[in-house]
Amino acid sequence: MTELETPDRLSEARAALAEALSLHDRGDLEAAEAAYRQVLAQNYRPADVLPLLAGLLGRLSRPEDALVAWDHLLAIEPDHQVALHEKGLTLHWLGRTEDAIVALERVVALEPDNATAIGNLAVVLADAKRNLEALRLFRRALALQPDNLHLRHQVRRLGAGAVPFWHIPMMNDVPRNDAFEAAIRAAIGQRGGEARVLDIGAGSGLLSLMAARGGARRVVACEMEPMIAEMAQHIVAANGYADRVTVHAKPSTELTVGAELEGPADILVSEILSSDLLTEKVLDTFEDAHRRLLSPDAIVIPRVASAMGCLVASENLADYAFVGDVSGFDLSAFGAFAPQRLPIHGTMTGWQRLSDDLELVRLDLRQKKHDATLARLRIPVTAAGRAIGIVQWMHIDLWDGVTFDNHPNGYHDGGWLQVLHSFPEAIDVTAGETLDIAVGHDRITLILWPLPPEPA
Ligand SMILES: C[S@@+](CC[C@H](N)C(=O)[O-])C[C@H]1O[C@@H](n2cnc3c(N)ncnc32)[C@H](O)[C@@H]1O
């Protein structure tokens, strides 16, 4: 008979546990903790007492101490599922994401149908930016609990979080789509169905599907966002083109001829143009493709992209670009942080044109190499006003007679917004004068900067 098993010690331990439970019930958590520890000191029913103590420590907002209690329990029962689950959540609370994932993965391995544990593992993976794994787990949990709105919300939240807001309107942009399809068909018509087509930035797979429908039998696509790539694979298969289109979940810079591409591509189709042309790194991507992935005479779609723009005045937009006196204080210094580029909806925002349309920057995407540029552009002013900057849009040339633009006068709710490039300060101008600006790019952003007039 051990010491605890003596009738006196046993009844003493039982009484201590009863006292601890009663204190716990009454909400006297500090006293309950002391009582639980006394019970544990007597080694009485530790597997029952430790979860109570750990839970209590959690309520006292003492995650480190709770973790010690869960570890103590796991030392006794290494596969204790509640302990592993709670340990995982506690580690997550403490910001120890990788350790939390290990603990929760063990729970899910032990309880493959525990939707709560699967969902919690997904939450932690999402926090660790492992979004595709998280999404798959949320879907798995949802299959177990189809009516669980929390899980549905998480599936939708993660999917939406991986895809920028403009993606759906872009796919619904019929003039854009028609222009790309016309150019793709013309290119395949010229090079034949055996031409190798490379689609960089597959998105939904739309341009690859157009190429396959247009007769291309060898289409290789890549999409660097894994969740979108998985969706493109699904959509390509669902539309019956999986035998002609292969989607790789990779950035184009990780493709190689001899691996994903059997040989250099004869046709490049790629729509990775941001509203200001450059911020999706179109120059780096096209240069890399020319250098490593394309045949020397490859057709490139689009072949030229231009940033177009005009000088504007706007009371509304001025409030986004400048700040001065506010509530009787001078806050003008904060203007140093004003956005240089402000996406705007050209037809919904009030602004007035102070010049004709001008080509600001022209990118010939057939060129193998691009340098940063900067040049003086003289803008003839056509109306008097307070010029706050340049409203810019794009014009792309895809094939002979096939162009597309999002000119603010005629373009509604497509994939591209127009962009206000605000000046550091507003400039009063009058009709008939000329305003000089420096225009160019640093390869990833447009540069538009007002200049003093040139000396006569
Ligand atoms: C503007 S969307 C176009 C999608 C589709 N091609 C279309 O036209 O509907 C561009 C997509 O390209 C992807 N992307 C951008 N640069 C990429 C690159 N270098 N390699 C692979 N994917 C890229 C982005 O993640 C995004 O999903």
Side-chain angles (χ1 to χ4, degrees), residues 13-14 17-18 20-21 24 36-37 39-40 43-56 69-70 72-74 76-77 80 82-83:
R14 268 195 201 122
L17 179 56
L21 289 170
H24 200 162
Y36 283 134
R37 292 200 186 281
V39 179
L40 287 172
N43 204 24
Y44 180 62
R45 293 173 56 186
D48 298 321
V49 174
L50 282 164
L52 296 168
L53 174 63
L56 175 153
W70 291 122
H72 186 169
L73 180 50
L74 286 166
I76 301 166
E77 285 184 37
H80 193 294
V82 172

Side-chain angles (χ1 to χ4, degrees), residues 99-408:
D99 295 336
I101 290 170
V102 172
L104 290 170
E105 278 176 344
R106 272 191 67 199
V107 186
V108 171
L110 291 165
E111 291 184 278
D113 292 336
N114 181 338
T116 310
I118 296 169
N120 283 332
L121 174 57
V123 167
V124 183
L125 285 167
D127 265 14
K129 306 268 180 279
R130 290 164 61 178
N131 288 345
L132 184 57
E133 290 164 83
L135 182 67
R136 286 179 178 151
L137 283 169
F138 276 131
R139 285 189 188 136
R140 183 171 145 193
L142 194 56
L144 292 162
Q145 293 185 348
D147 296 329
N148 187 322
L149 275 186
H150 282 289
L151 292 171
R152 278 202 214 168
H153 172 74
Q154 294 308 329
V155 166
R156 203 160 165 215
R157 182 180 72 87
L158 267 189
V163 179
F165 75 92
W166 44 255
H167 210 113
I168 301 253
M170 175 196 69
M171 292 190 295
N172 287 321
D173 189 334
V174 175
R176 176 197 88 111
N177 300 342
D178 288 352
F180 271 93
E181 185 151 28
I184 289 167
R185 277 182 181 275
I188 294 165
Q190 194 181 85
R191 293 291 165 94
E194 286 310 313
R196 286 193 191 89
V197 179
L198 171 61
D199 173 5
I200 294 184
S204 62
L206 177 64
L207 304 184
S208 290
L209 288 169
M210 287 174 174
R213 182 165 65 186
R217 285 183 282 278
R218 301 189 290 184
V219 184
V220 171
C222 65
E223 170 52 58
M224 66 186 181
E225 166 53 53
M227 221 181 273
I228 301 182
E230 190 185 69
M231 181 58 82
Q233 286 156 354
H234 168 76
I235 288 176
V236 164
N239 281 278
Y241 285 102
D243 58 333
R244 295 161 176 229
V245 178
T246 314
V247 182
H248 297 278
K250 288 183 175 181
S252 54
T253 47
E254 288 178 18
L255 300 182
T256 50
V257 170
E260 294 81 6
L261 280 160
E262 278 173 14
D266 308 297
I267 300 171
L268 169 67
V269 53
S270 179
E271 201 282 78
I272 53 170
L273 295 163
S274 51
S275 289
D276 72 345
L277 296 187
L278 292 160
T279 38
E280 272 200 71
K281 295 199 175 161
V282 62
L283 293 184
D284 286 355
T285 302
F286 273 59
E287 284 179 2
D288 174 64
H290 277 299
R291 198 169 58 247
R292 302 184 308 106
L293 305 174
L294 305 184
S295 64
D297 64 343
I299 294 173
V300 173
I301 301 171
R303 55 192 185 184
V304 177
S306 299
M308 307 293 297
C310 64
L311 190 66
V312 298
S314 168
E315 293 277 321
N316 297 343
L317 294 175
D319 279 348
Y320 288 82
F322 313 115
V323 64
D325 277 3
V326 175
S327 304
F329 301 106
D330 176 7
L331 304 190
S332 57
F334 209 90
F337 300 147
Q340 268 187 315
R341 292 178 296 132
L342 191 68
I344 60 162
H345 192 293
T347 50
M348 280 167 62
T349 316
W351 53 277
Q352 300 80 48
R353 171 188 298 280
L354 302 178
S355 79
D356 290 339
D357 296 349
L358 299 151
E359 185 176 69
L360 306 168
V361 165
R362 179 185 171 84
L363 306 172
D364 186 335
L365 297 169
R366 293 163 297 193
Q367 231 172 271
K368 312 276 187 262
K369 186 87 185 77
H370 298 260
D371 293 323
T373 61
L374 206 53
R376 180 180 289 264
L377 178 70
R378 315 205 72 177
I379 303 182
V381 176
T382 54
R386 189 167 173 248
I388 62 157
I390 304 279
V391 162
Q392 172 257 315
W393 58 95
M394 74 159 106
H395 178 279
I396 54 176
D397 174 6
L398 300 101
W399 192 263
D400 297 344
V402 183
T403 62
F404 169 81
D405 66 66
N406 63 329
H407 192 292

